[in-house]
Every structure is written in structure tokens, then in C-alpha cells.
Amino acid sequence: MMTLKDLKPGEEGTVISIGEKCPMRRRIMDMGVTPGTVIKVIKVAPLGDPIEVNIRGYELSLRKSEAENIQIQR
């Protein structure tokens, strides 16, 4: 299964699910990353962390560890 971490800058996908139930999952969903939402990677820092994305018309930075928990479908 593909995760948000696997997308390259300029690519987009639809969120299918967000990892296990834990405080991080709740935090990610509170930021607007919910199943069915289209998310586009804007840029990735040189060491791969953080990842800047556009979702629902605003830009958001996510840690690599958070992006690994977000499953994506292209």
C-alpha cells in the first residue's frame, strides 16, 4: 500500500486511511487530513523531513513519521 511519504513533489493522491488509533491519528485528522480528501505534495525537505502538502486549499507541513501513517491511492 502506498503512503503519503512515497509521493514526490507535484504528485497527488486521495487519502484512504490513517494508521492506527492513537493520539497522532487524531492530531492528523484535526488538521483536515481525513479519508476521501485529495492531498498534493508541494515539496520535501532535503533529508525527507518535513513534507509540505496542500490539502483543502491550505498548506501543511507533516513529519515523515506522520506521512508514513497516511495511506494514499493515486
Side-chain angles (χ1 to χ4, degrees):
M1 181 67 63
M2 177 176 256
T3 67
L4 179 60
K5 183 189 77 142
D6 301 323
L7 293 181
K8 308 245 183 293
E11 294 181 335
E12 65 180 34
T14 303
V15 177
I16 296 176
S17 67
I18 303 165
E20 302 173 15
K21 290 188 178 184
C22 64
M24 182 191 312
R25 180 176 191 251
R26 183 75 235 171
R27 183 174 165 272
I28 291 170
M29 291 182 77
D30 287 346
M31 290 189 286
V33 181
T34 56
T37 306
V38 175
I39 190 166
K40 180 178 182 179
V41 175
I42 304 299
K43 58 185 168 184
V44 179
L47 297 177
D49 197 16
I51 298 170
E52 186 174 326
V53 299
N54 183 296
I55 185 165
R56 300 178 190 259
Y58 65 91
E59 295 182 359
L60 178 69
S61 291
L62 296 169
R63 294 183 184 125
K64 190 175 177 180
S65 61
E66 295 169 331
E68 289 173 340
N69 288 311
I70 302 171
Q71 295 180 346
I72 298 290
Q73 179 181 23
R74 285 190 186 182

